[in-house]
Amino acid sequence: MSQQITTKEDLISQIKAAEYLNPKALVSFGITNEKAAEMVGVSLRHFYRYEHKQPPLPIRKLGAILAHQLISEGKEIQPDLVYIIVRHLKSEK
């Protein structure tokens, strides 16, 4: 993921290539924190902690799988929330 993200296609290809992704990045698809926490099977309280610390590896793996699934379902990344997913992609380098 050393290339810079310049277009929506670049961002989607980087998400598809990501093996691990903080599930907090799922809110970029317009999903609420509550729904994302439910998707990865953690409490909302634990989910909010992932904003400031890396979740365990299995949770990050599930975050990547869910992001891939959302893309394959045609979910769009919300333009005003792109920074969230970019930040979490960069933290996985």
Side-chain angles (χ1 to χ4, degrees):
M1 290 195 305
S2 60
Q3 71 186 30
Q4 185 158 346
I5 297 170
T6 56
T7 66
K8 179 180 170 182
E9 292 77 24
D10 289 342
L11 180 58
I12 289 173
S13 68
Q14 287 196 25
I15 294 168
K16 286 180 178 179
E19 189 174 349
Y20 300 103
L21 185 62
N22 188 323
K24 284 290 287 181
L26 298 176
V27 300
S28 301
F29 291 95
I31 295 172
T32 64
N33 284 317
E34 292 85 359
K35 178 66 176 170
E38 180 183 310
M39 290 170 74
V40 295
V42 298
S43 70
L44 188 57
R45 182 177 180 180
H46 277 99
F47 190 76
Y48 280 124
R49 290 181 186 165
Y50 297 159
E51 184 69 34
H52 303 290
K53 70 174 199 167
Q54 277 290 36
L57 204 57
I59 297 290
R60 293 188 356 244
K61 177 73 171 177
L62 185 55
I65 291 168
L66 291 169
H68 301 165
Q69 179 181 344
L70 290 170
I71 289 171
S72 69
E73 291 174 358
K75 291 276 189 189
E76 293 284 329
I77 298 168
Q78 304 300 305
D80 56 331
L81 300 176
V82 167
Y83 73 96
I84 295 171
I85 203 154
V86 168
R87 179 171 34 120
H88 290 297
L89 283 168
K90 286 181 179 178
S91 73
E92 290 295 338
K93 287 184 182 177

